[in-house]
Amino acid sequence: MSRSASQSTPLPELPRLSPGVWLLETTGHDLASLHTLVVDHLLLGDGSAVWIDAGERGRSQLLREIAPDPRVLDRIRIARGFTAFQHAALVETAADVVDGTVGLVVAPAVDFPYRDEEGRGVAPRKLLLRTIARLARFARDQSIPVLLTRTGANGLGKPVASVAGDTITVERTRFGPRFESDAFETLVYPARRGHAQTTLAFWRRVLAARQPLYASAPGSTDPSPGSREGVLSDGAH
């Protein structure tokens, strides 16, 4: 919804992810907001998403719970890296599949595996800098959004923020979650007794309410059923 208080709409608004590197900042272990933005972006277009996971942030069950149509899950390809070297290798390998058919790259908790390597005789910061530079290159070369999250603002979290061109924060209020960036603010529609819960059922209602937008989105197509995981790699390096 617009920042203007005079405007009203029955539909809750979510930020549109334009090409570039985005950093999503959430409070606590909020995975639903991330998954909701990914599903919403896919439903508004006809591309697929490449999800390079760390710290087990990518949850197939959560995606199924949130998506208003399970067929969209076939357009999300998830690969997991459990160490810094595995994660860096996955990002490098992703260059082979991030092409004109990919409309979004997701790399949640991008600093997580590199923090585990601190003090073990490796150079985690150098490896992380190389990784986020490659992620930024996807945004620049393919003109697509790259969505990142981080596990903390200190230490290795600082270069993650520096590579992002835009930051979206999610704040929990008693009326529901509010997304906010430099150019956007979400005003959540009122629920019963003036409250909205940030449950999966809530996010499912949000996405279902936005279905007219998906139907009219330019280039939108019907996704096909299923969900693929580990397409890039199984992380076993």
Side-chain angles (χ1 to χ4, degrees):
M1 184 180 294
S2 167
R3 291 177 182 271
S4 170
S6 63
Q7 284 187 312
S8 63
T9 175
L11 294 179
E13 290 288 337
L14 295 172
R16 299 282 185 96
L17 298 176
S18 57
V21 180
W22 292 82
L23 175 61
L24 176 66
E25 299 273 45
T26 62
T27 56
H29 199 60
D30 178 9
L31 297 181
S33 297
L34 169 66
H35 288 64
T36 298
L37 284 184
V38 171
V39 171
D40 187 61
H41 183 82
L42 290 177
L43 290 171
L44 285 169
D46 57 358
S48 62
V50 170
W51 186 309
I52 304 165
D53 200 47
E56 299 185 19
R57 266 41 174 199
R59 307 284 180 86
S60 298
Q61 180 61 35
L62 202 158
L63 288 166
R64 284 194 293 269
E65 290 285 343
I66 289 175
D69 188 333
R71 293 177 297 173
V72 73
L73 302 181
D74 191 49
R75 295 162 60 192
I76 303 174
R77 295 178 284 179
I78 299 179
R80 306 186 190 280
F82 298 97
T83 70
F85 292 106
Q86 290 176 2
H87 188 267
L90 286 176
V91 173
E92 184 176 4
T93 305
D96 296 332
V97 296
V98 177
D99 53 22
T101 66
V102 173
L104 175 66
V105 172
V106 189
V110 69
D111 58 323
F112 178 80
Y114 304 87
R115 291 181 185 272
D116 283 350
E117 299 294 345
E118 290 184 310
R120 297 185 184 180
V122 298
R125 184 179 181 86
K126 183 177 181 180
L127 199 56
L128 174 61
L129 289 174
R130 187 186 310 161
T131 296
I132 59 178
R134 284 180 174 140
L135 289 167
R137 194 176 305 132
F138 293 148
R140 183 175 63 252
D141 293 349
Q142 299 296 327
S143 191
I144 60 175
V146 172
L147 182 60
L148 311 177
T149 72
R150 58 181 177 173
T151 60
N154 63 320
L156 293 178
K158 291 181 179 179
V160 178
S162 67
V163 78
D166 296 277
T167 298
I168 301 172
T169 59
V170 184
E171 177 188 1
R172 291 189 178 185
T173 74
R174 70 186 186 92
F175 299 106
R178 183 179 69 191
F179 290 91
E180 186 173 2
S181 68
D182 288 342
F184 181 89
E185 181 180 2
T186 298
L187 303 178
V188 180
Y189 65 151
R192 292 181 180 179
R193 300 185 181 91
H195 295 269
Q197 299 297 318
T198 56
T199 60
L200 299 186
F202 168 79
W203 287 118
R204 194 184 310 118
R205 288 197 302 272
V206 169
L207 293 174
R210 288 168 61 80
Q211 280 189 327
L213 282 178
Y214 308 139
S216 60
S220 60
T221 59
D222 285 334
S224 46
S227 178
R228 291 178 289 177
E229 188 167 309
V231 170
L232 297 180
S233 168
D234 61 5
H237 292 282

